[in-house]
Amino acid sequence: MSLLKKLAWAGAFAGLALGAWSSGAAAQSADEIAAEAAKKYAGTEITVVWEAGLQSLDPLNFSGPLWEKLTGMKVKVIEVPTEEMFTKIMQEYRAGTGAYDALNVIPSWMPDLAKAGALEPLDSYVDKYKYRDELQEIAPTYRDNQMTVDGKIYGFPDDGDVFIMYYRKDVFADPQNQADFKAKFGYDLAPPTTWKQFDEIGQFLTDKFQPKMYGAAFFRQAPYAQLMFQERFRNEGGKFFDPNTMKATVNSDVGVKVLTDMRAENKFMPPGVETWGFVENLAAFMAGQTAMTISWPPYGRWAAGYGQDEKALNWVPKTQIAGKVGYALPPGGHPQLALGFALSVASTSKHKDAAYLFIQWLNSKAISTQRVQLPYTLRDPFRVSHYTDPTYLSRWPDAKDYLATLKLASETGLLDLSILQTDKYEEALRQGISALWGGEDPKAILDKIAAQWDAITEKVGVDKQKAAYQGWAAKSGAYPQM
């Protein structure tokens, strides 16, 4: 780490520490302060924008009714599909109707939304309602990467999304598999820490067990696979842009190697894996048809059988591998944080204090600890205390290993690319991934992506985007800390 980076980190830490100290020792916890202050808004109805589907069961079934019981405030949930959330938030902001009060935003959207003025800066509310102390307890990866734009707080990280590896520990520990693998490769069969090892293990297990079981499978649909590309590209030393010129460097030799390797690995995965999404990959792993996969934290809970009695999870395949699943970091050791959600307040809200108090309460240590254990939603641990919560540790026999791995992943996780108009850059990546499965040449794909990225940068403004990129690249989770 350079001296300048060390000084920047030290300054940032000092600022946070000073903020925590200056708020003083709170007589009440943050959830209690929020609920007490919100009582004066009893009878007020606030609207919250939430991802449609399972995620919305949290405010609909749990947190919304509980908040109303505590404060008398009502919560109206506006369910919006993920792919429409950014557009709807921006449309409402431009219309200025005040239709939205509290918002769920994906952290990579935050620079665009904040710079447009759609998000309310939260620092004054944090101080007014004494929340700085509890904010410091959010795991550093999420706190330092997903909360601020240009030094101002615009959202509270509220979902510890991160990719981790799930593997069949019974298959890996089998003595005959151990002996056969070591005889062939000269090292012990264990969760791979490099992509070379992953390839060797995956091919070995497929050769031995197909078609009953394959060595591995991933979701390969472009929206998911572009996130996996972002992760692997940086783990192998790739950089997205030249920070001085803002010219795209995604078409480097590293990028070509990653795309080439990704396609080659499909050969030891189940037939048709190129079209697999979240559910197809989940179903194969839960049925015991694949020995390794990488995904978000719910895979780990569901594979253990947690929450499978919930009606809302009827669509999740019944696990055939409970008690047989191990957890590890993906090869490279720096997993993609991969989306996540943050809680924000709409700048056009007519009930800003009320909306703020609701999101402080939701995000507080006491309430968030309950929310991340709701089996029917997709909120994942994001506070230091979540990883050691005694109740969570007792949820299933291997929960301690699961939470320990999530904690480790949070400490080394990589932030999604997050600059101005990020989705346009990611759309080029998505198109590139689709072309990869279609058989196009990896170098040609990446040259096309780089040209598209350069055109987007020119349209945004090179200097404007350079400042956004340099701000993002300076964050702890932008590139692996070697």
Side-chain angles (χ1 to χ4, degrees):
M1 183 187 294
S2 71
L3 178 60
L4 283 175
K5 278 190 176 178
K6 285 181 179 177
L7 290 172
W9 274 51
F13 182 81
L16 289 171
L18 180 60
W21 177 84
S22 63
S23 66
Q28 296 172 292
S29 57
D31 62 299
E32 293 170 335
I33 291 171
E36 186 64 28
K39 288 178 180 175
K40 65 181 177 182
Y41 301 109
T44 300
E45 180 179 82
I46 58 169
T47 59
V48 297
V49 175
W50 218 274
E51 184 190 39
L54 283 181
Q55 295 269 16
S56 285
L57 295 182
D58 174 347
L60 287 170
N61 293 353
F62 175 73
S63 54
L66 181 56
W67 179 247
E68 181 176 356
K69 183 179 178 182
L70 290 171
T71 68
M73 283 175 55
K74 295 181 182 298
V75 176
K76 179 180 179 182
V77 181
I78 300 176
E79 294 190 59
V80 181
T82 312
E83 62 273 19
E84 298 176 16
M85 291 177 82
F86 179 87
T87 301
K88 285 191 176 294
I89 290 169
M90 285 299 291
Q91 286 174 340
E92 196 289 322
Y93 163 66
R94 287 169 180 146
T97 63
Y100 298 161
D101 298 306
L103 305 170
N104 264 206
V105 301
I106 290 178
S108 63
W109 301 343
M110 209 175 282
D112 275 319
L113 293 171
K115 288 178 185 293
L119 303 183
E120 179 76 1
L122 300 180
D123 293 84
S124 62
Y125 300 88
V126 167
D127 291 328
K128 181 178 179 180
Y129 296 111
K130 303 184 186 308
Y131 193 39
R132 285 201 184 270
D133 284 349
E134 281 201 18
L135 274 179
Q136 307 319 308
E137 203 264 343
I138 290 176
T141 293
Y142 306 108
R143 184 192 66 209
D144 297 345
N145 290 310
Q146 299 183 348
M147 198 161 72
T148 61
V149 176
D150 294 338
K152 294 181 182 178
I153 300 173
Y154 284 97
F156 300 147
D158 198 55
D159 182 13
D161 270 350
V162 66
F163 284 160
I164 65 171
M165 170 169 279
Y166 308 96
Y167 68 96
R168 287 284 300 278
K169 60 182 182 181
D170 58 324
V171 173
F172 277 64
D174 180 87
Q176 191 60 56
N177 292 340
Q178 285 274 348
D180 292 346
F181 183 83
K182 191 159 188 175
K184 183 168 185 178
F185 294 102
Y187 62 94
D188 291 334
L189 179 60
T193 58
T194 68
W195 285 105
K196 181 174 183 295
Q197 291 175 358
F198 172 81
D199 290 350
E200 291 172 346
I201 294 168
Q203 188 67 63
F204 167 80
L205 293 175
T206 294
D207 290 344
K208 190 167 186 177
F209 293 106
Q210 69 174 328
K212 183 179 179 183
M213 185 181 74
Y214 291 82
F218 294 147
F219 31 61
R220 288 304 205 191
Q221 289 178 354
Y224 309 105
Q226 70 90 9
L227 292 170
M228 300 191 80
F229 171 80
Q230 287 196 37
E231 175 187 314
R232 288 181 68 163
F233 177 66
R234 286 177 286 176
N235 270 284
E236 299 206 20
K239 302 284 186 183
F240 293 126
F241 299 96
D242 181 319
N244 298 313
T245 65
M246 272 310 289
K247 285 290 184 184
T249 52
V250 69
N251 55 339
S252 63
D253 291 346
V254 174
V256 175
K257 177 181 184 302
V258 170
L259 281 193
T260 302
D261 289 350
M262 285 174 68
R263 187 160 63 194
E265 287 157 4
N266 289 351
K267 293 176 183 173
F268 61 77
M269 295 183 181
V273 71
E274 294 87 351
T275 64
W276 283 17
F278 183 90
V279 174
E280 293 87 349
N281 189 47
L282 172 68
F285 188 67
M286 298 278 268
Q289 295 169 351
T290 53
M292 295 183 286
T293 192
I294 291 173
S295 184
W296 286 279
Y299 268 38
R301 300 193 288 270
W302 296 339
Y306 180 60
Q308 292 220 326
D309 294 334
E310 291 283 346
K311 184 178 178 182
L313 294 178
N314 282 346
W315 62 274
V316 175
K318 298 299 180 188
T319 180
Q320 306 299 315
I321 54 174
K324 299 177 180 177
V325 179
Y327 317 102
L329 297 186
H334 296 279
Q336 187 86 1
L337 296 179
L339 303 179
F341 278 106
L343 296 167
S344 298
V345 173
S347 64
T348 53
S349 167
K350 297 173 183 173
H351 309 288
K352 291 180 183 176
D353 272 83
Y356 172 80
L357 289 168
F358 181 55
I359 69 167
Q360 173 171 315
W361 177 82
L362 283 174
N363 192 243
S364 67
K365 179 179 175 180
I367 304 304
S368 67
T369 299
Q370 298 175 57
R371 293 174 53 231
V372 297
Q373 294 179 58
L374 294 173
Y376 50 75
T377 69
L378 302 174
R379 284 293 202 260
D380 303 312
F382 63 90
R383 284 184 174 273
V384 174
S385 54
H386 292 165
Y387 305 119
T388 56
D389 178 70
T391 302
Y392 210 154
L393 290 169
S394 67
R395 291 292 187 184
W396 67 90
D398 293 329
K400 64 180 188 311
D401 300 327
Y402 169 79
L403 290 169
T405 305
L406 290 185
K407 179 177 184 294
L408 188 59
S410 81
E411 292 167 352
T412 61
L414 294 177
L415 180 64
D416 298 346
L417 179 63
S418 181
I419 53 179
L420 300 177
Q421 299 191 20
T422 298
D423 191 60
K424 288 186 168 57
Y425 294 86
E426 291 188 342
E427 175 56 25
L429 272 181
R430 289 191 284 269
Q431 292 173 6
I433 294 293
S434 296
L436 181 70
W437 304 148
E440 288 190 29
D441 175 66
K443 181 65 166 67
I445 291 170
L446 288 165
D447 285 344
K448 185 176 180 181
I449 292 172
Q452 291 175 311
W453 282 19
D454 287 344
I456 298 166
T457 302
E458 289 286 340
K459 194 168 183 179
V460 171
V462 173
D463 291 340
K464 195 175 172 184
Q465 192 66 291
K466 185 194 297 184
Y469 175 67
Q470 290 178 345
W472 174 83
K475 292 188 174 184
S476 61
Y479 288 105
Q481 303 294 308
M482 301 298 183

